[in-house]
Amino acid sequence: MRSDHAKTARYHLRRQSPTPGWLSLSWRALLALALIGVALAGHWFDRDGLRQNSGAPVTFADILYFTTITVTTVGYGDIVPVTQQARMFDTFVVTPIRLFVWLIFLGTAYDFLLKRVWEKWRMSVLQRRLDGHVIVTGYGTSGAEAVRELIARGADPAAIVVIDETAAALARAEACGATVMDGNATRNAALEAARIQTARAVIVSAGRDDTSILIVLTARRLAPNVPISVVIRSQDNEAIARQAGANTVINPASFAGLLLAGSIHGAHTAEYMADLAASGGRVALRERTVTHEEIGKPLSAITTGLGHRVYRGTHTFGFWEPETNRLEPGDLIVEVVQRP
C-alpha cells in the first residue's frame, strides 16, 4: 500500500504570477534589442574609427558582426577600434550595454527555468505549512462568489485554496489571487494535500448535490472539527447534507425565496437582509464567543453590537427568550455590528 505522502504527491498548489510570462519575455527581448541597437548605431556612425586586420573596408555587415560579438563577448580581435573616440565609446557605452544584456539573459534564464523549479519547491513548502486557510471545493457560480466575498471582507487571497478539476475554473481562481489545486475533492488525497486538518473552514460548492454531499462526508471524516458550509440545490437533500456533517447548509433558491417573500411584507426588509449578507453593506452579522466581562450579563447589555441569538451547546436562544438574560461561559453570540 502506498504511503499518505505518495497518495498526495500528485496534488500540487499553484499561484498565478503577477506578470504574464509572454509579457515579461517580450519586454526583456525588446530591451536587449534596444541596447544592441544603441551599440550598433554608435559603431555605424563612428565606423571610421574601426579597422579590420585584413585591411578591407568596414561594411554594415562588419559593423553588425562586430557589435554582436562585442556585446555578447569581448570580441575576437579581427575588428578593433583604433581611434580615441571609438575606444571611449566601447569603454563607457558598449561595456555597460554588454553587462546589461548579460543580466537580461541571466534574468530570463532564472525566470523561465530556475524560477519554475524554485516556485514548485516553494509551493510544496507552502503546502506543508498551510494553516488557518479556507478550502473552497468547486469554483462555479457559488464558489466564485464566495471567494470574491471572502476577499472583499479582508481575507488574504493566498490563504484561500480552490480545488477544482476544470482548467478554466482554476484559471479564474488564480486571476483572483487564490491558491489553486487541480484535483477531485471527493478523494481523500486531494483534501489531505490541501491540509484540511489545519484549515479554518471548508466551503463546498460542487454544483451537484450528490457530489457536494460526498465531499462533505469525506471532509468530515478527515477533519472532525473543521466548520463545513455546503451549497445544496434541492430542499430534500438539506437534511442529508447535515447528517453528512455540514455545519451550514445553504440553499440559494430558498434564500432567494426568503428575500422575495420578505419584500412583500415591507419595502426595506429584503434590502436589509441583503445588507447583512453582503460585504458592501452598512451592517454585518458577526459570531463570537462571549467575553469574560459579559458572563452573567443579559444579551441586551452587550456593547459591541446588537445581540440577536445565543448558541449554548446544542441549543439556540433568541434575544426574547429568558435564557439570554444571563450569558454563560462558552456561549456563542450572533450580533449585528456596524461594518467598518
Side-chain angles (χ1 to χ4, degrees):
M1 182 179 292
R2 294 182 299 172
S3 65
D4 290 342
H5 176 73
K7 292 178 182 178
T8 60
R10 69 185 185 91
Y11 294 103
H12 302 288
L13 300 182
R14 281 202 334 257
R15 189 177 296 165
Q16 186 183 47
S17 171
T19 304
W22 66 268
L23 181 60
S24 177
L25 182 61
S26 299
W27 276 113
R28 291 165 193 254
L30 288 174
L31 180 58
L33 290 174
L35 291 173
I36 294 174
V38 170
L40 178 65
H43 286 146
W44 174 250
F45 287 118
D46 193 32
R47 55 188 178 277
D48 293 337
L50 302 177
R51 293 287 185 276
Q52 293 199 71
N53 289 339
S54 64
V58 177
T59 64
F60 179 78
D62 295 326
I63 296 294
L64 181 61
Y65 159 78
F66 174 69
T67 300
T68 304
I69 294 301
T70 305
V71 168
T72 56
T73 66
V74 293
Y76 295 142
D78 49 349
I79 301 177
V80 295
V82 293
T83 64
Q84 196 75 9
Q85 180 177 329
R87 289 174 178 173
M88 290 300 100
F89 179 78
D90 273 10
T91 300
F92 294 107
V93 178
V94 177
T95 298
I97 286 176
R98 180 188 303 122
L99 295 176
F100 276 114
V101 169
W102 272 107
L103 287 175
I104 292 172
F105 288 160
L106 291 174
T108 302
Y110 165 75
D111 273 351
F112 291 92
L113 295 177
L114 298 178
K115 191 176 181 180
R116 291 184 180 180
V117 177
W118 164 259
E119 188 66 14
K120 185 176 180 180
W121 176 82
R122 190 175 72 89
M123 286 293 105
S124 67
V125 172
L126 172 65
Q127 190 166 350
R128 291 194 297 268
R129 295 180 178 178
L130 279 175
D131 188 26
H133 54 295
V134 177
I135 299 175
V136 179
T137 63
Y139 199 75
T141 302
S142 299
E145 187 61 34
V147 170
R148 284 193 293 268
E149 188 69 19
L150 284 170
I151 296 173
R153 295 188 180 202
D156 181 7
I160 301 173
V161 178
V162 175
I163 304 177
D164 203 298
E165 292 184 290
T166 307
L170 293 177
R172 292 195 302 271
E174 276 189 295
C176 291
T179 303
V180 302
M181 177 185 295
D182 183 359
N184 183 348
T186 63
R187 303 293 181 88
N188 291 359
L191 293 177
E192 287 173 346
R195 301 277 293 171
I196 188 173
Q197 294 87 349
T198 60
R200 178 162 64 95
V202 176
I203 296 174
V204 180
S205 178
R208 288 171 51 100
D209 286 359
D210 53 352
T211 305
S212 294
I213 291 171
L214 181 55
I215 294 174
V216 171
L217 280 169
T218 306
R220 180 55 69 215
R221 189 179 70 83
L222 294 175
N225 299 318
V226 67
I228 301 175
S229 301
V230 60
V231 175
I232 295 297
R233 309 291 176 181
S234 174
Q235 189 173 3
D236 295 338
N237 293 327
E238 292 183 22
I240 301 175
R242 290 190 176 89
Q243 291 174 3
N247 302 90
T248 305
V249 178
I250 298 172
N251 188 321
S254 296
F255 186 70
L258 290 174
L259 292 179
L260 290 171
S263 65
I264 300 300
H265 297 283
H268 304 294
T269 303
E271 178 189 355
Y272 185 67
M273 291 175 67
D275 199 6
L276 286 172
S279 62
R282 298 172 59 191
V283 292
L285 281 173
R286 180 174 67 181
E287 180 180 319
R288 65 175 178 85
T289 305
V290 65
T291 65
H292 179 73
E293 294 77 13
E294 293 169 335
I295 295 175
K297 296 180 179 180
L299 179 63
S300 59
I302 65 173
T303 59
T304 55
L306 183 61
H308 274 39
R309 282 187 177 181
V310 172
Y311 289 85
R312 185 172 297 154
T314 59
H315 301 285
T316 304
F317 304 109
F319 62 87
W320 65 90
E321 296 183 82
E323 287 81 2
T324 63
N325 292 332
R326 180 180 175 84
L327 295 175
E328 298 180 2
D331 283 352
L332 290 177
I333 296 175
V334 174
E335 60 183 347
V336 176
V337 298
Q338 181 182 0
R339 193 176 297 278

